């Protein structure tokens, strides 16, 4: 948006969170709350976004990245003082500035856009985003005049009994004429009990100058929730979870039990995929169409193709092709790439391995640091012995090979194309293509062993 700017207040430590993590970095549905706000603003095409930082400045910058501008509030002296720190970036700009709190992760781009549009349509110098609630205690109340514009904002401690009954509250989000904002900020005083410079005082100053102060009321109070403690964080999490799940269901995804399904904000899911209860999809996850996920499945930062089933399993930082069957009780660890139409069955663990199309490991196997070719069969109890106590080594099993049950493949080792490894073998040397490798002790049967043992035992007595 041309000549439109944003200031995000993110300098507070958030002592009520009782956490070593700075408040705005606490995740809501797997994503730091400040990133929710930044992303919504960016979707409006607002390029000049100034994030005011203080406590944990470097950590906040590391999380948000270089796509925004930064202003440092070295002392936390109030919200007006915080906005004033953005003056070097914005003070001389013509246009409109939206001011948002970094602890309001549920705000949407639609509401921000409506606030800006209302601000411009009313020719106001300042517009307050308001909301209505049956529990307004603790919030500043909005007192309107006969024209519907804001007469004043009354804080809880200063409100009369009649004013306390007002249910329209100040959300802490504002829209300003940019130059007026930075001119008036210099007039804000700190003659209050806290000795701080408060942004709502800008409204009072503009009002005394006979400027128009407008208000835009959102009909979704949840969008305005400010996260100041763990209780509010849990409420924001529940609201965001509901919003995310509803979005996916409206897009053609079946979620059997939305109350017990956790999907983070960045997840993409194709049509006609079914998500069963107890599933957790977090981080950068992309799931194709016609998949079946769950129950009790966790997928983190992974890509899943179409028509794949993952039941009661964990997949982390990996890629799985189409038509695959995973689980139950499989563990796909980071840096694994699994092809199309593969099968990874119960109690199979895969780590940093490539498994090509059509291969299968149906049960009770460990595949680590391995390259498994097309249509390979990994028998029950097979282990790629990849670690010598100091270094990890590669196991290669080429296309079409058959690995018998209870086999140890001592890396580094290669099993050639279409080769067979007999059950119970410990393979320490390469197996040629189309060969049969047997690496186990010869069986010896000692006839009448039990009878001789008994006789010997009786003789000793």
């Amino acid at each position: 948006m041309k000549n439109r700017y944003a200031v995000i207040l993110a300098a507070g430590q958030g002592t009520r969170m009782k956490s070593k993590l700075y408040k705005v970095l606490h995740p809501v549905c797997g994503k730091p709350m400040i990133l929710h706000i930044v992303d919504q603003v960016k979707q409006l095409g607002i390029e000049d976004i100034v994030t005011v930082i203080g406590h944990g400045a470097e950590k906040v910058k590391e999380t948000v990245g270089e796509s925004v501008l930064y202003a440092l509030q070295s002392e936390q002296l109030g919200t007006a003082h915080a906005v004033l720190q953005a003056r070097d970036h914005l003070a001389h700009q013509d246009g409109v500035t939206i001011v948002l709190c970094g602890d309001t992760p549920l705000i949407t781009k639609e509401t921000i856009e409506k606030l800006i549009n209302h601000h411009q349509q009313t020719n106001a110098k300042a517009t307050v985003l308001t909301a209505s609630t049956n529990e307004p205690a603790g919030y500043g109340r909005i007192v309107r005049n006969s024209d519907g514009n804001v007469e004043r904002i009354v804080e809880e401690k200063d409100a009369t009994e009649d004013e306390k009954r007002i249910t329209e509250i100040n959300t802490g989000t504002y829209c300003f004429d940019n130059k007026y904002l930075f001119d008036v900020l210099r007039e804000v005083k700190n003659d209050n009990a806290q000795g701080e410079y408060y942004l709502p005082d800008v409204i009072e100053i503009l009002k005394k100058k006979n400027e128009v102060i407008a208000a835009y009321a959102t009909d979704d109070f949840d969008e305005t929730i400010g996260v100041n403690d763990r209780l509010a964080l849990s409420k924001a999490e529940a609201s965001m979870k509901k919003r995310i799940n509803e979005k996916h269901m409206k897009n053609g995804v079946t979620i059997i039990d939305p109350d017990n399904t956790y999907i983070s904000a960045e997840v993409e899911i194709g049509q006609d995929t079914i998500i069963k209860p107890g599933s957790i999809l977090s981080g950068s996850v992309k799931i194709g169409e016609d998949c079946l996920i769950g129950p009790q499945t966790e997928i983190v930062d992974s890509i899943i193709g179409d028509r794949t089933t993952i039941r009661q399993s964990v997949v982390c930082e990996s890629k799985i092709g189409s038509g695959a069957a995973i689980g139950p009780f499989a563990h796909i660890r980071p840096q694994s790439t699994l092809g199309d139409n593969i099968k990874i069955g119960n109690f199979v663990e895969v780590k940093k391995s490539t498994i090509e199309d059509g291969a299968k490991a149906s049960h009770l196997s460990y595949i680590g640091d391995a390259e498994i070719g097309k249509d390979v069969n990994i028998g029950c109890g097979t282990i790629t012995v990849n670690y010598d106590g100091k270094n990890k080594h590669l196991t290669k099993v080429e296309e079409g090979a058959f690995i018998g049950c209870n086999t140890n493949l001592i890396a580094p080792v290669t099993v050639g194309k279409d080769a067979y490894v007999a059950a119970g073998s410990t393979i320490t040397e390469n197996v040629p293509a189309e060969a049969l490798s047997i690496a186990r002790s010869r069986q010896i049967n000692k006839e009448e062993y039990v009878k001789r043992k008994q006789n010997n035992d009786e003789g000793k007595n």
Side-chain angles (χ1 to χ4, degrees):
M1 290 184 178
K2 189 175 180 181
N3 297 329
R4 295 185 179 183
Y5 316 99
V7 176
I8 301 174
L9 307 182
Q13 185 175 10
T15 55
R16 280 183 283 172
M17 296 295 288
K18 299 187 186 307
S19 174
K20 295 181 289 296
L21 185 65
Y22 301 103
K23 181 170 70 169
V24 298
L25 299 183
H26 277 266
V28 174
C29 288
K31 182 177 179 178
M33 65 174 82
I34 189 171
L35 283 183
H36 284 285
I37 302 164
V38 170
D39 287 349
Q40 291 298 313
V41 173
K42 284 181 179 178
Q43 287 180 49
L44 291 172
I46 298 176
E47 294 182 357
D48 289 337
I49 304 170
V50 181
T51 300
V52 181
I53 53 179
H55 288 287
E58 291 305 315
K59 285 288 186 182
V60 175
K61 290 174 70 173
E62 182 182 323
T63 299
V64 178
E66 300 301 321
S67 62
V68 304
L69 303 169
Y70 293 97
L72 180 65
Q73 186 187 24
S74 55
E75 286 187 275
Q76 277 65 63
L77 300 178
T79 49
H81 179 261
V83 176
L84 188 60
Q85 308 314 302
R87 62 187 179 275
D88 290 344
H89 296 295
L90 301 178
H92 302 295
Q93 301 287 353
D94 289 313
V96 172
T97 292
I98 183 87
V99 177
L100 307 105
C101 297
D103 60 0
T104 55
L106 296 170
I107 194 80
T108 64
K109 64 181 186 297
E110 290 82 8
T111 294
I112 298 170
E113 186 166 34
K114 289 175 182 177
L115 174 63
I116 294 174
N117 289 341
H118 185 78
H119 174 80
Q120 294 178 317
Q121 290 164 7
T122 56
N123 293 314
K125 289 296 183 287
T127 303
V128 184
L129 178 66
T130 72
S132 294
T133 174
N134 293 326
E135 298 179 358
Y139 291 95
R141 309 303 202 279
I142 300 297
V143 179
R144 293 180 183 254
N145 60 24
S146 58
D147 296 326
N149 290 324
V150 176
E151 183 68 31
R152 64 187 184 277
I153 301 172
V154 183
E155 297 303 321
E156 171 91 12
K157 64 182 183 298
D158 301 321
T160 66
E161 290 304 314
D162 285 342
E163 289 169 340
K164 287 180 180 179
R165 285 190 283 271
I166 295 173
T167 58
E168 187 179 16
I169 57 94
N170 176 21
T171 68
T173 296
Y174 306 89
C175 193
F176 294 100
D177 177 284
N178 186 69
K179 282 191 174 179
Y180 269 80
L181 169 63
F182 285 97
D183 286 343
V184 172
L185 280 172
R186 296 185 178 89
E187 301 180 36
V188 175
K189 306 298 183 185
N190 67 338
D191 49 356
N192 52 62
Q194 285 72 34
E196 295 187 352
Y197 301 87
Y198 291 128
L199 191 58
D201 289 351
V202 170
I203 304 298
E204 296 294 324
I205 295 170
L206 289 172
K207 191 67 182 177
K208 289 177 181 178
K209 295 176 183 289
N210 295 317
E211 301 292 354
V212 174
I213 309 299
Y216 174 76
T218 177
D219 56 6
D220 186 355
F221 176 76
D222 283 354
E223 278 196 37
T224 69
I225 291 175
V227 177
N228 291 312
D229 55 28
R230 304 296 180 119
L231 180 60
L233 183 65
S234 70
K235 291 179 179 178
E237 180 87 13
S239 184
M240 183 68 77
K241 178 168 76 74
K242 182 174 183 288
R243 180 190 296 178
I244 290 170
N245 288 354
E246 287 180 353
K247 179 194 73 172
H248 287 296
M249 289 187 284
K250 288 176 181 177
N251 288 337
V253 176
T254 295
I255 301 178
I256 302 298
D257 185 358
D259 289 339
N260 291 292
T261 300
Y262 300 85
I263 303 174
S264 66
E266 306 298 322
V267 174
E268 300 177 34
I269 308 174
Q271 289 184 358
D272 293 314
T273 284
I274 298 171
I275 311 295
K276 289 193 172 184
S279 294
I280 302 173
L281 313 179
S282 58
S284 180
V285 171
K286 185 174 182 180
I287 298 174
E289 298 181 353
D290 302 297
C291 293
L292 178 62
I293 307 297
Q296 306 297 329
T297 289
E298 182 178 7
I299 302 176
V300 181
D301 294 328
S302 297
I303 298 174
I304 313 298
D306 299 330
R307 304 178 308 282
T308 286
T309 297
I310 304 176
R311 296 185 297 141
Q312 293 158 309
S313 296
V314 175
V315 180
C316 185
E317 298 176 23
S318 294
K319 182 177 180 180
I320 300 174
S322 297
I326 309 295
F329 312 118
H331 188 185
I332 311 302
R333 291 170 55 190
Q335 301 182 55
S336 294
T337 301
L338 283 57
D340 298 336
N341 303 309
I342 59 94
K343 180 179 180 182
I344 302 296
N346 52 291
F347 303 105
V348 174
E349 181 177 355
V350 180
K351 172 254 177 186
K352 198 178 180 181
S353 295
T354 300
I355 300 179
E356 296 187 16
D357 299 350
K360 57 184 178 180
S362 296
H363 31 223
L364 296 163
S365 294
Y366 171 70
I367 303 170
D369 297 281
E371 296 177 2
I372 309 299
K374 292 182 179 180
D375 299 317
V376 166
N377 182 86
I378 303 292
C380 174
T382 294
I383 298 172
T384 60
V385 185
N386 57 330
Y387 186 46
D388 64 9
K390 184 177 180 180
N391 298 305
K392 300 291 179 68
H393 301 281
L394 180 66
T395 297
K396 291 185 180 182
V397 181
E398 296 180 352
E399 180 179 346
F402 182 97
I403 308 300
C405 294
N406 199 33
T407 292
N408 297 311
L409 300 172
I410 311 296
V413 71
T414 297
V415 177
K417 181 179 178 182
D418 295 325
Y420 280 74
V421 174
S425 295
T426 295
I427 302 300
T428 59
E429 298 179 1
N430 292 343
V431 179
E434 299 184 354
L436 168 62
S437 181
I438 305 172
R440 58 194 182 201
S441 299
R442 182 178 299 276
Q443 180 174 331
I444 300 174
N445 295 330
K446 295 187 177 182
E447 299 290 343
E448 298 184 345
Y449 169 79
V450 173
K451 183 183 293 185
R452 291 197 302 271
K453 184 177 182 302
Q454 290 174 343
N455 291 337
N456 289 337
D457 290 343
E458 289 173 0
K460 292 178 182 178
N461 293 331

